[in-house]
Amino acid sequence: MAPINRLSRDASVTSIEEKKEFILANEFTLANRLAYKILHKHPLSIWMIVIPIVFVYYFYALNRYKASKKDFVSNFIRSRENILDKAVGFTEDGQKPDYEALAEKENIPDFANGAYKEWARALFEHFQKLLHTDGDSYADLVRGKYENRGQYLKVLDHLNKVESKFYKALRKDLQDSVEDAGGIIKAMENSLGPIRREEADGIFE
């Protein structure tokens, strides 16, 4: 597969880097919204304030939530940023992604390797299309590539499908070794679709 409408390196570096930042910022937004749905923050009520030991517990729980959320977002973004970097490299230099090397870098277990590659390839292709579209924001890139909400939702639905397949491949191994991993992965599967549909609604409102 050849790079689409590849521009000269000197003419494209800044523009491609800006588009990369638009895409990465959107992925961070997705990660934060997903974390908010999965990790539960405890509401602060008046009786917590008047009972010191409960107040202390509240701040302990809140800080634990913040740390968990930060870790979740960081880990969620890492794979996406690695794939986005490959899309940028292919756009600038025609360097094809090595999905096997990506899987090794992410320490993907052998039994989930195929599902990971399928998801990584779909995300790479989506990122590459956006990188070859003009726009001053992520929404501009999406509207420039996809004519309407239905076209964009079709792409998002495919991404949800292959990502869910990857998570399901991981679930059995993780839920045997990591506390509540199965529940967290299931919540991710259930939450990604509605979040992405809301994103599409906002872009094509």
Side-chain angles (χ1 to χ4, degrees), residues 21-196:
E21 291 305 313
F22 296 152
I23 295 169
L24 192 58
N26 187 73
E27 294 299 314
F28 266 104
T29 298
L30 173 64
N32 276 289
R33 293 187 65 191
L34 188 60
Y36 186 81
K37 283 182 174 290
I38 294 172
L39 306 171
H40 301 289
K41 186 187 295 187
H42 297 262
L44 179 61
S45 62
I46 188 65
W47 62 268
M48 289 182 176
I49 297 174
V50 298
I51 305 175
I53 189 63
V54 177
F55 193 58
V56 169
Y57 170 76
Y58 168 79
F59 276 102
Y60 166 74
L62 180 61
N63 288 332
R64 184 174 58 184
Y65 164 83
K66 289 178 178 177
S68 298
K69 181 173 180 288
K70 182 178 179 181
D71 290 342
F72 176 90
V73 169
S74 175
N75 289 320
F76 186 84
I77 283 294
R78 184 177 59 201
S79 295
R80 286 162 165 75
E81 189 167 13
N82 286 335
I83 295 168
L84 179 56
D85 284 341
K86 296 301 180 183
V88 169
F90 185 66
T91 300
E92 293 181 338
D93 303 324
Q95 182 179 352
K96 295 182 179 180
D98 183 341
Y99 294 108
E100 189 65 41
L102 277 173
E104 290 181 8
K105 185 176 182 179
E106 296 290 337
N107 296 316
I108 304 299
D110 291 341
F111 61 83
N113 208 302
Y116 169 80
K117 289 177 183 177
E118 185 179 2
W119 168 67
R121 187 174 291 106
L123 195 60
F124 169 86
E125 291 173 356
H126 172 57
F127 286 161
Q128 194 196 14
K129 289 174 182 177
L130 295 180
L131 288 169
H132 285 90
T133 305
D134 290 328
D136 294 325
S137 67
Y138 180 80
D140 281 350
L141 298 181
V142 171
R143 287 191 292 263
K145 180 60 190 176
Y146 304 104
E147 292 182 1
N148 53 53
R149 176 180 178 274
Q151 285 189 2
Y152 186 46
L153 279 177
K154 186 176 180 180
V155 172
L156 295 183
D157 286 345
H158 178 61
L159 288 175
N160 287 339
K161 181 179 178 180
V162 293
E163 190 165 1
S164 179
K165 182 179 178 181
F166 171 48
Y167 291 154
K168 285 176 181 176
L170 288 175
R171 191 191 306 165
K172 185 179 185 305
D173 179 66
L174 289 177
Q175 67 187 6
D176 291 337
S177 58
V178 181
E179 183 180 357
D180 201 31
I184 291 173
I185 291 175
K186 186 65 177 177
M188 289 172 68
E189 292 173 25
N190 293 337
S191 299
L192 275 171
I195 290 173
R196 282 180 165 143

